[in-house]
Amino acid sequence: MMVSDRSRSACLAVLIISACCLVQCTTTTGPAPVAPLYVVPNGFPEPVFPADNLPSAERIALGKALFMSTALSRTNTIACASCHLEQYAFADTATVSVGVEGRRGTRNAPSLFNVAYHPYYMREGGVPTLEMQVQVPIAEHNEFDFNILQVQARLTADTSIVNAAMRAYGRPPDPFVITRAIACFERTLLSGSSRADRQDLTSAEQRGRVLFESTRTNCTSCHGGFNYTTYAFENNGLASVYADSGRYRLTRSTADIARFKVPSLRHVGVTAPYMHDGSLRTLRDVLDHYNSGGHLHPQKSPLIRPLGLTRQELDDLEAYLRAL
Amino acid sequence: MITFIRSVLVLLTIAIAASAQENQVSFTIQGRMGDAPFVINTMYRTLADDLYLKPTSLRYYLSQISITHDGGKVTPFPSLYILVDHSAPTSYQLGTHPITRVESITFHIGVDSARNHLDPATYAPYHPLSPQDPSMHWGWTSGYKFMAYNLLTGADTAAMKYVTEIHALGDANYHRITVDVPVDARNGKVSIDVIANLAELLRGINVSKSLFEHSDEGPAKLMLENAAQRVFSAATTTSVSDASFSEDAWKEQGGMVSIYDMQGGLIRASSDGVPSIFNGLRAGVYVVVRSMVGRTPHHTLYLHDGE
């Protein structure tokens, strides 16, 4: 599970390319320009780093190393990157993710691009910060099945990690450092230069975009904004009976039964399968679902209703989704 | 001479009119299973007396602790969080305070909602709210387990095959408990002793099969309600069972006697071959366990006043 230099995050690669360009293109003398730690995509707000976890190159590098490290799992076999793979926009291809000893979880792994902007994490929204989210997979029986103090003990035996932790945070790799470093790295996973962002769309994609933003589909009522989500908790009629009670699990309010956080649709072309349980295999399955109006459920949003889209329109919408 | 005392436990309430205002305050929780001391990994009978039950771990948070004393004055301990662990000593030093005559102690089981959802990783190591092993935090809810009780049950002591884990949490299950503990300072110290009859935690909860409840509802919710309503009382009102047994007669019948300290550590047993296991025992509170093959062990809590 070691990281190869090739698998640097896309944004960092972009960043390095632009930094090189800067070096080459600059003719003036003076101190060599320092590469920025991350690049905020055009039109995106500046991501907010908490005061106790401001970014630095050391912190991001340590976080990335820990994100790739199997030392976080009890069996020393699974890393964050086992379920959040860069080539799938930091999601995976499993229906539900597989953790230690082949244990299957109950949910599909989402993309981690632009998590810096999410107001809360997990599909019921119970985790307020990225730092706190790191503690979830470590303890989850179906993920790392471990304890953060034991992760600390293991990392403390690794002098290169200890040195990196001292450089980054001035303290050994304790729970504070483990959670801060990984969260710091995650905040740099920014993505905002898709063809849709650059408005570099084919005519089919253009038509798809018009449909996506129209009141005929209402897609942007839930998937609006620069991240293609309002972060609301909604029921999109995926089923009439859910094994997973969604936000109800957290709030115990019947109005929240089977409501899930609206996911971002960035890179949705590579994050199959779809929905909280990975039950829809392809984007066309997703579109067929919306076109049918979904299943009856007491919490289903009134926006989810039969759309009557033609085959051509479905093709166009799918093409547009792939450009996000 | 060994003396068994009837109205036991501590609280040597005979107040020596404490003149000093500042006293060292300590708070002790004495775990019990009915009349017997609660000792992790010890065999008990269930409340319904239909099964054996062996607690393997019991931990819970206490927060928003305050002491009412000296005619209704309230001394709060707003930043005090205690993680009670019944496999370790359950006595806590609360510092020196102008408290001479305690009326009651108030606490909540769990973590107040203001702190419940903050990040455990921001606390100093060893702070009760920092990450624990085993964990007392449930990540996806971003909340602490208020109480985590693990136990085994079974129809016979050799086959404790059912595993129960009740890990209870949730802001709605955060209950306030007040225990009247009339006690006066003595020699610069105030000892607030509370009895926790932990047998009551499982009242109404079926543990005759394995039960895995990590949640804020059902048996988890009920366990916290039981904790709030049935478990805690002042130690002063407790008496030990009649302990006037003859050590020699018991041994002649083939019985064994063992002595444990309040944390469950074995001090000595009659199988060690000593003439009397009470000889040379230091003054203090102990648990005497009388056992005999084929019988449920009999526990007695008693105060030993030394030779």
Side-chain angles (χ1 to χ4, degrees), chain A residues 76-130:
Chain A
N76 216 332
T77 52
I78 308 279
C80 307
S82 308
C83 301
H84 298 288
L85 288 84
E86 183 175 4
Q87 64 265 41
Y88 304 115
F90 295 98
D92 66 9
T93 55
T95 305
V96 293
S97 304
V98 179
V100 297
E101 294 167 351
R103 292 179 192 164
R104 288 163 56 85
T106 55
R107 287 182 177 171
N108 178 258
S111 165
L112 299 188
F113 270 124
N114 299 338
V115 282
Y117 300 104
H118 296 2
Y120 27 69
Y121 300 91
M122 315 301 277
R123 288 191 175 82
E124 57 279 297
V127 180
T129 67
L130 277 174

Side-chain angles (χ1 to χ4, degrees), chain A residues 235-239 242 275 280 282-295 300 304-307 314:
Chain A
N235 178 292
N236 68 352
L238 184 63
Y242 286 70
M275 305 302 169
L280 298 184
T282 65
L283 274 182
R284 185 46 74 98
D285 292 343
V286 172
L287 290 174
D288 287 343
H289 158 75
Y290 281 116
N291 202 26
S292 75
H295 296 268
K300 187 172 85 170
I304 307 291
R305 42 169 179 69
L307 301 178
L314 292 171

Side-chain angles (χ1 to χ4, degrees), chain A residues 52 122 124 126-129 131-132 135-136 140 147-150 175-176 179-180 248-250 252, chain B residues 116-123 125 131-135 137-143 215-217:
Chain A
D52 70 358
M122 315 301 277
E124 57 279 297
V127 180
T129 67
E131 282 79 1
M132 290 180 78
Q135 300 166 59
V136 181
E140 266 316 297
N147 182 288
I148 197 164
L149 297 178
Q150 295 185 36
F176 182 88
T179 55
R180 265 63 204 163
Y248 171 81
R249 241 177 128 209
L250 184 71
R252 297 295 182 206
Chain B
N116 192 20
H117 307 292
L118 302 184
D119 186 345
T122 58
Y123 293 94
Q132 305 292 318
D133 185 11
S135 180
H137 192 255
W138 217 15
W140 70 268
T141 64
S142 301
S215 83
D216 58 354
E217 46 173 26

Side-chain angles (χ1 to χ4, degrees), chain B residues 1-2 278-281 283 304-307:
Chain B
M1 251 308 289
I2 302 130
F278 299 105
N279 282 354
L281 195 62
H304 182 66
D305 65 356
E307 296 296 311

